Amino acid sequence: MFSAVRAGRAAASGSVCLTPALVTLVLTIPGIIATVQVSTRPVLEAEIKKAISIPCVPTISTPNTTKYVQWFVMEKNARQRIYFQDMENSTVDAGTDYTHRIKVDKMYTLTIDPVVRRDERTFHCQVGAGPVGSGEAETLLKVYAAPDMPVIEKDSRTISLIETEAKEIARCVTRNGYPAPNVTWFKDRTPLHADPQMRNRISVKLQATEEANGLYTMKSTLSYLPVKRDKDATFYCEVSYRMPVGIDMMKESAKINISISYPPENAEFLIHPKVLKEMDNMTMECQSDGTSSVDYTFFKILDGEMVVIKSDGNKVVVTALSRNDSGLYGCNVLDLETDNVLVSNKTIIVNYLDPIVLTPKGPYVFTEGKKNVRISCEAEASQRLTVAWTKRKKTVVSTGKWLKLSMVALEDAGNYSCKVAIPGVPSLSRQKTISIVVEGPPHVNCTTEKFQKNGPYVNLTCVFRGYPIPVVTCNAHKAPTLMYHHQKNYVVSELILPLPTGELQLTCNGTNQHGDDDYLFIVQGDVAQAKSSGGVVIVVIIVCILLLAILGAILYFLYKKGKIPCGRSGKQSITQAEGHDNIVVEVKNDQKVPEETVLLQGVNGDKKPPNHQ
């Protein structure tokens, strides 16, 4: 007889230790005891669709004993053999679920490929040793399957914050998992757990379905009562499961936002563009921070009464604005769920700028020396204006509405521009230009310049300023031809001639209705002198009179002595005509003047204006 003792299972799943099942054979022959021991893994974990190997390690006290190996599975509470091997033959039993999925190597290790869901059962390895007896060990095989990625399905409804009970917002579905995985809902990385005390706010319904292949489909439904801050929250589900060996894993679904309807708490009335002027198009817009259905109404306050402006939606356009469109505008936001009304309004200014008005109106003709001349520049506008006066479009002469001339001078003549603008409205400005004329007697300023150009030359230039434009005449010994440049408010006389060997005198005179002024040039040899005609003319006249007196006395003395014959035939002319020297006149074309140049016809040196004749 013999008795068999089966070792217990190891406590830890997946332990690497082999637990022997000891079979002790007690022979009837006194003093001889033989044993068969079988070791295997008490628990193994396998992943479905992959291969798993279950070891079977026999230990026999009499090694040379003939032995056999058998593998069994538990099928409906009964053993079913799936493999047999003895010293000569090995066979996989036909007609079992493992006929085409197993093999056993020479070390008796059973390999299953692939593992399926129904392989989660107990496997027995039995080793027999003839008269010694037999021994066996068993392994519990646990199988795992990773579920598919969870799919989240958002409910299409919009949840109003006036609701009092949680509403279904999303469903999470995952398939082909084993064992049944866990499903957890999250909001912004914070898990959502069903709580009986918060049933009106959060509830989770979980449904597990075992499919024909033995794997599980998990369906979890989340009902939730949101608050306003949930409008930007993200919701998703997480599936957690276990895989061999002892590895916890998880998969996350896509993230969704839920549709929340909540009444507006604030309204804002806007206009585009922000700065308006006449003839602009204005877009009025009404915005609110709610998501519930609302109705917008635009209005204008006219004579204390609200006038409704027809609109479609939250925008309305007003075309071709005028200054009369300025006023108080706004909008009402009516929440259709709560009937609450929000109001927003603002005062709109349509900017305008009328034509410039100058006081006095002109013409602006002033006499030189006039005091306290003032010209104002004003315009009607929607806002306070900036005013600037400039001369010749460059130099700013005043930054207020007044152009002030404390003492009028010839230099004050010219063009002035007045520009008015509304600050902050760059496209709204106006400008007006006036011309100021200063009347006065001529003022002369002359220069003398010597230069070399194929010989010595002298340039005699005079500038006569005054208004009306002076009439300028110049005379000179031998009556040269002169050139005049007629400018605005002044005349330039210019003469370029060879430097004389003797003395040359030339007088230039400017005359208008207010007076005259002149200038005497005395050019002597290679020295050019310019003297004022006031004192020089008198000196010249006195010298000439003295010379004539001396000459007359000499002639009279000679006549008395008979030195000069008196007969016609004997007379000699002392007034022989002198041949006029040829004088070359060159006009300087590079003279820079501020206005258009007019070339005046030259006049003879002896000719004077009418008031000098």
Side-chain angles (χ1 to χ4, degrees), residues 398-411:
S398 176
T399 56
K401 75 173 184 176
W402 291 103
L403 174 63
K404 300 177 182 179
L405 303 176
S406 58
M407 178 74 75
V408 177
L410 288 176
E411 291 75 14

mmCIF file with all atom_site columns, all heavy atoms in Angstrom, residues 398-411:
data_model
loop_
_atom_site.group_PDB
_atom_site.id
_atom_site.type_symbol
_atom_site.label_atom_id
_atom_site.label_alt_id
_atom_site.label_comp_id
_atom_site.label_asym_id
_atom_site.label_entity_id
_atom_site.label_seq_id
_atom_site.pdbx_PDB_ins_code
_atom_site.Cartn_x
_atom_site.Cartn_y
_atom_site.Cartn_z
_atom_site.occupancy
_atom_site.B_iso_or_equiv
_atom_site.pdbx_formal_charge
_atom_site.auth_seq_id
_atom_site.auth_comp_id
_atom_site.auth_asym_id
_atom_site.auth_atom_id
_atom_site.pdbx_PDB_model_num
ATOM 1   N N   . SER A 1 398 ? 2.515   130.730 -34.059 1.00 0.00 ? 398 SER A N   1
ATOM 2   C CA  . SER A 1 398 ? 1.567   130.857 -32.952 1.00 0.00 ? 398 SER A CA  1
ATOM 3   C C   . SER A 1 398 ? 0.856   129.526 -32.758 1.00 0.00 ? 398 SER A C   1
ATOM 4   O O   . SER A 1 398 ? 0.561   128.823 -33.731 1.00 0.00 ? 398 SER A O   1
ATOM 5   C CB  . SER A 1 398 ? 0.540   131.957 -33.247 1.00 0.00 ? 398 SER A CB  1
ATOM 6   O OG  . SER A 1 398 ? -0.433  132.001 -32.205 1.00 0.00 ? 398 SER A OG  1
ATOM 7   N N   . THR A 1 399 ? 0.583   129.173 -31.482 1.00 0.00 ? 399 THR A N   1
ATOM 8   C CA  . THR A 1 399 ? -0.116  127.935 -31.185 1.00 0.00 ? 399 THR A CA  1
ATOM 9   C C   . THR A 1 399 ? -1.516  128.186 -30.634 1.00 0.00 ? 399 THR A C   1
ATOM 10  O O   . THR A 1 399 ? -2.151  127.267 -30.126 1.00 0.00 ? 399 THR A O   1
ATOM 11  C CB  . THR A 1 399 ? 0.685   127.090 -30.179 1.00 0.00 ? 399 THR A CB  1
ATOM 12  O OG1 . THR A 1 399 ? 0.933   127.879 -29.007 1.00 0.00 ? 399 THR A OG1 1
ATOM 13  C CG2 . THR A 1 399 ? 2.002   126.621 -30.774 1.00 0.00 ? 399 THR A CG2 1
ATOM 14  N N   . GLY A 1 400 ? -1.989  129.379 -30.719 1.00 0.00 ? 400 GLY A N   1
ATOM 15  C CA  . GLY A 1 400 ? -3.357  129.703 -30.310 1.00 0.00 ? 400 GLY A CA  1
ATOM 16  C C   . GLY A 1 400 ? -4.160  130.176 -31.493 1.00 0.00 ? 400 GLY A C   1
ATOM 17  O O   . GLY A 1 400 ? -3.706  130.152 -32.640 1.00 0.00 ? 400 GLY A O   1
ATOM 18  N N   . LYS A 1 401 ? -5.365  130.591 -31.236 1.00 0.00 ? 401 LYS A N   1
ATOM 19  C CA  . LYS A 1 401 ? -6.212  131.025 -32.342 1.00 0.00 ? 401 LYS A CA  1
ATOM 20  C C   . LYS A 1 401 ? -5.795  132.383 -32.885 1.00 0.00 ? 401 LYS A C   1
ATOM 21  O O   . LYS A 1 401 ? -6.198  132.767 -33.978 1.00 0.00 ? 401 LYS A O   1
ATOM 22  C CB  . LYS A 1 401 ? -7.669  131.057 -31.894 1.00 0.00 ? 401 LYS A CB  1
ATOM 23  C CG  . LYS A 1 401 ? -8.040  132.229 -30.988 1.00 0.00 ? 401 LYS A CG  1
ATOM 24  C CD  . LYS A 1 401 ? -9.533  132.265 -30.749 1.00 0.00 ? 401 LYS A CD  1
ATOM 25  C CE  . LYS A 1 401 ? -9.930  133.492 -29.934 1.00 0.00 ? 401 LYS A CE  1
ATOM 26  N NZ  . LYS A 1 401 ? -11.389 133.588 -29.767 1.00 0.00 ? 401 LYS A NZ  1
ATOM 27  N N   . TRP A 1 402 ? -4.975  133.167 -32.131 1.00 0.00 ? 402 TRP A N   1
ATOM 28  C CA  . TRP A 1 402 ? -4.599  134.520 -32.544 1.00 0.00 ? 402 TRP A CA  1
ATOM 29  C C   . TRP A 1 402 ? -3.256  134.540 -33.244 1.00 0.00 ? 402 TRP A C   1
ATOM 30  O O   . TRP A 1 402 ? -2.280  133.958 -32.775 1.00 0.00 ? 402 TRP A O   1
ATOM 31  C CB  . TRP A 1 402 ? -4.533  135.454 -31.343 1.00 0.00 ? 402 TRP A CB  1
ATOM 32  C CG  . TRP A 1 402 ? -5.879  135.736 -30.726 1.00 0.00 ? 402 TRP A CG  1
ATOM 33  C CD1 . TRP A 1 402 ? -6.384  135.204 -29.592 1.00 0.00 ? 402 TRP A CD1 1
ATOM 34  C CD2 . TRP A 1 402 ? -6.871  136.629 -31.235 1.00 0.00 ? 402 TRP A CD2 1
ATOM 35  N NE1 . TRP A 1 402 ? -7.635  135.688 -29.341 1.00 0.00 ? 402 TRP A NE1 1
ATOM 36  C CE2 . TRP A 1 402 ? -7.971  136.585 -30.348 1.00 0.00 ? 402 TRP A CE2 1
ATOM 37  C CE3 . TRP A 1 402 ? -6.946  137.456 -32.355 1.00 0.00 ? 402 TRP A CE3 1
ATOM 38  C CZ2 . TRP A 1 402 ? -9.117  137.324 -30.531 1.00 0.00 ? 402 TRP A CZ2 1
ATOM 39  C CZ3 . TRP A 1 402 ? -8.097  138.207 -32.545 1.00 0.00 ? 402 TRP A CZ3 1
ATOM 40  C CH2 . TRP A 1 402 ? -9.170  138.136 -31.644 1.00 0.00 ? 402 TRP A CH2 1
ATOM 41  N N   . LEU A 1 403 ? -3.213  135.223 -34.385 1.00 0.00 ? 403 LEU A N   1
ATOM 42  C CA  . LEU A 1 403 ? -1.955  135.611 -35.021 1.00 0.00 ? 403 LEU A CA  1
ATOM 43  C C   . LEU A 1 403 ? -1.733  137.077 -34.655 1.00 0.00 ? 403 LEU A C   1
ATOM 44  O O   . LEU A 1 403 ? -2.532  137.940 -35.031 1.00 0.00 ? 403 LEU A O   1
ATOM 45  C CB  . LEU A 1 403 ? -2.041  135.439 -36.542 1.00 0.00 ? 403 LEU A CB  1
ATOM 46  C CG  . LEU A 1 403 ? -0.830  135.944 -37.330 1.00 0.00 ? 403 LEU A CG  1
ATOM 47  C CD1 . LEU A 1 403 ? 0.424   135.170 -36.954 1.00 0.00 ? 403 LEU A CD1 1
ATOM 48  C CD2 . LEU A 1 403 ? -1.092  135.864 -38.831 1.00 0.00 ? 403 LEU A CD2 1
ATOM 49  N N   . LYS A 1 404 ? -0.667  137.345 -33.885 1.00 0.00 ? 404 LYS A N   1
ATOM 50  C CA  . LYS A 1 404 ? -0.438  138.688 -33.358 1.00 0.00 ? 404 LYS A CA  1
ATOM 51  C C   . LYS A 1 404 ? 0.836   139.284 -33.948 1.00 0.00 ? 404 LYS A C   1
ATOM 52  O O   . LYS A 1 404 ? 1.891   138.636 -33.946 1.00 0.00 ? 404 LYS A O   1
ATOM 53  C CB  . LYS A 1 404 ? -0.322  138.648 -31.830 1.00 0.00 ? 404 LYS A CB  1
ATOM 54  C CG  . LYS A 1 404 ? -1.563  138.096 -31.139 1.00 0.00 ? 404 LYS A CG  1
ATOM 55  C CD  . LYS A 1 404 ? -1.363  138.015 -29.632 1.00 0.00 ? 404 LYS A CD  1
ATOM 56  C CE  . LYS A 1 404 ? -2.586  137.422 -28.941 1.00 0.00 ? 404 LYS A CE  1
ATOM 57  N NZ  . LYS A 1 404 ? -2.385  137.308 -27.468 1.00 0.00 ? 404 LYS A NZ  1
ATOM 58  N N   . LEU A 1 405 ? 0.725   140.529 -34.439 1.00 0.00 ? 405 LEU A N   1
ATOM 59  C CA  . LEU A 1 405 ? 1.876   141.291 -34.916 1.00 0.00 ? 405 LEU A CA  1
ATOM 60  C C   . LEU A 1 405 ? 1.921   142.578 -34.096 1.00 0.00 ? 405 LEU A C   1
ATOM 61  O O   . LEU A 1 405 ? 1.110   143.497 -34.291 1.00 0.00 ? 405 LEU A O   1
ATOM 62  C CB  . LEU A 1 405 ? 1.745   141.607 -36.405 1.00 0.00 ? 405 LEU A CB  1
ATOM 63  C CG  . LEU A 1 405 ? 1.575   140.404 -37.355 1.00 0.00 ? 405 LEU A CG  1
ATOM 64  C CD1 . LEU A 1 405 ? 1.367   140.876 -38.792 1.00 0.00 ? 405 LEU A CD1 1
ATOM 65  C CD2 . LEU A 1 405 ? 2.784   139.477 -37.259 1.00 0.00 ? 405 LEU A CD2 1
ATOM 66  N N   . SER A 1 406 ? 2.858   142.621 -33.129 1.00 0.00 ? 406 SER A N   1
ATOM 67  C CA  . SER A 1 406 ? 2.910   143.789 -32.241 1.00 0.00 ? 406 SER A CA  1
ATOM 68  C C   . SER A 1 406 ? 3.335   145.048 -32.976 1.00 0.00 ? 406 SER A C   1
ATOM 69  O O   . SER A 1 406 ? 2.863   146.152 -32.688 1.00 0.00 ? 406 SER A O   1
ATOM 70  C CB  . SER A 1 406 ? 3.869   143.508 -31.076 1.00 0.00 ? 406 SER A CB  1
ATOM 71  O OG  . SER A 1 406 ? 5.159   143.196 -31.568 1.00 0.00 ? 406 SER A OG  1
ATOM 72  N N   . MET A 1 407 ? 4.241   144.926 -33.945 1.00 0.00 ? 407 MET A N   1
ATOM 73  C CA  . MET A 1 407 ? 4.689   146.064 -34.762 1.00 0.00 ? 407 MET A CA  1
ATOM 74  C C   . MET A 1 407 ? 4.924   145.521 -36.167 1.00 0.00 ? 407 MET A C   1
ATOM 75  O O   . MET A 1 407 ? 5.830   144.721 -36.388 1.00 0.00 ? 407 MET A O   1
ATOM 76  C CB  . MET A 1 407 ? 5.977   146.671 -34.205 1.00 0.00 ? 407 MET A CB  1
ATOM 77  C CG  . MET A 1 407 ? 6.514   147.838 -35.041 1.00 0.00 ? 407 MET A CG  1
ATOM 78  S SD  . MET A 1 407 ? 5.560   149.355 -34.848 1.00 0.00 ? 407 MET A SD  1
ATOM 79  C CE  . MET A 1 407 ? 6.116   149.868 -33.215 1.00 0.00 ? 407 MET A CE  1
ATOM 80  N N   . VAL A 1 408 ? 4.108   145.954 -37.137 1.00 0.00 ? 408 VAL A N   1
ATOM 81  C CA  . VAL A 1 408 ? 4.183   145.419 -38.484 1.00 0.00 ? 408 VAL A CA  1
ATOM 82  C C   . VAL A 1 408 ? 5.482   145.869 -39.151 1.00 0.00 ? 408 VAL A C   1
ATOM 83  O O   . VAL A 1 408 ? 5.802   147.065 -39.141 1.00 0.00 ? 408 VAL A O   1
ATOM 84  C CB  . VAL A 1 408 ? 2.968   145.847 -39.318 1.00 0.00 ? 408 VAL A CB  1
ATOM 85  C CG1 . VAL A 1 408 ? 3.099   145.351 -40.758 1.00 0.00 ? 408 VAL A CG1 1
ATOM 86  C CG2 . VAL A 1 408 ? 1.680   145.336 -38.694 1.00 0.00 ? 408 VAL A CG2 1
ATOM 87  N N   . ALA A 1 409 ? 6.216   144.904 -39.697 1.00 0.00 ? 409 ALA A N   1
ATOM 88  C CA  . ALA A 1 409 ? 7.443   145.182 -40.432 1.00 0.00 ? 409 ALA A CA  1
ATOM 89  C C   . ALA A 1 409 ? 7.343   144.540 -41.802 1.00 0.00 ? 409 ALA A C   1
ATOM 90  O O   . ALA A 1 409 ? 6.483   143.683 -42.050 1.00 0.00 ? 409 ALA A O   1
ATOM 91  C CB  . ALA A 1 409 ? 8.655   144.640 -39.671 1.00 0.00 ? 409 ALA A CB  1
ATOM 92  N N   . LEU A 1 410 ? 8.245   144.998 -42.716 1.00 0.00 ? 410 LEU A N   1
ATOM 93  C CA  . LEU A 1 410 ? 8.227   144.434 -44.058 1.00 0.00 ? 410 LEU A CA  1
ATOM 94  C C   . LEU A 1 410 ? 8.426   142.922 -44.032 1.00 0.00 ? 410 LEU A C   1
ATOM 95  O O   . LEU A 1 410 ? 7.882   142.192 -44.862 1.00 0.00 ? 410 LEU A O   1
ATOM 96  C CB  . LEU A 1 410 ? 9.318   145.089 -44.913 1.00 0.00 ? 410 LEU A CB  1
ATOM 97  C CG  . LEU A 1 410 ? 9.074   146.543 -45.346 1.00 0.00 ? 410 LEU A CG  1
ATOM 98  C CD1 . LEU A 1 410 ? 10.281  147.074 -46.103 1.00 0.00 ? 410 LEU A CD1 1
ATOM 99  C CD2 . LEU A 1 410 ? 7.816   146.650 -46.195 1.00 0.00 ? 410 LEU A CD2 1
ATOM 100 N N   . GLU A 1 411 ? 9.208   142.429 -43.041 1.00 0.00 ? 411 GLU A N   1
ATOM 101 C CA  . GLU A 1 411 ? 9.471   140.996 -42.956 1.00 0.00 ? 411 GLU A CA  1
ATOM 102 C C   . GLU A 1 411 ? 8.236   140.192 -42.591 1.00 0.00 ? 411 GLU A C   1
ATOM 103 O O   . GLU A 1 411 ? 8.202   138.960 -42.746 1.00 0.00 ? 411 GLU A O   1
ATOM 104 C CB  . GLU A 1 411 ? 10.576  140.721 -41.928 1.00 0.00 ? 411 GLU A CB  1
ATOM 105 C CG  . GLU A 1 411 ? 11.956  141.205 -42.324 1.00 0.00 ? 411 GLU A CG  1
ATOM 106 C CD  . GLU A 1 411 ? 12.100  142.722 -42.187 1.00 0.00 ? 411 GLU A CD  1
ATOM 107 O OE1 . GLU A 1 411 ? 11.228  143.334 -41.533 1.00 0.00 ? 411 GLU A OE1 1
ATOM 108 O OE2 . GLU A 1 411 ? 13.061  143.276 -42.748 1.00 0.00 ? 411 GLU A OE2 1
#
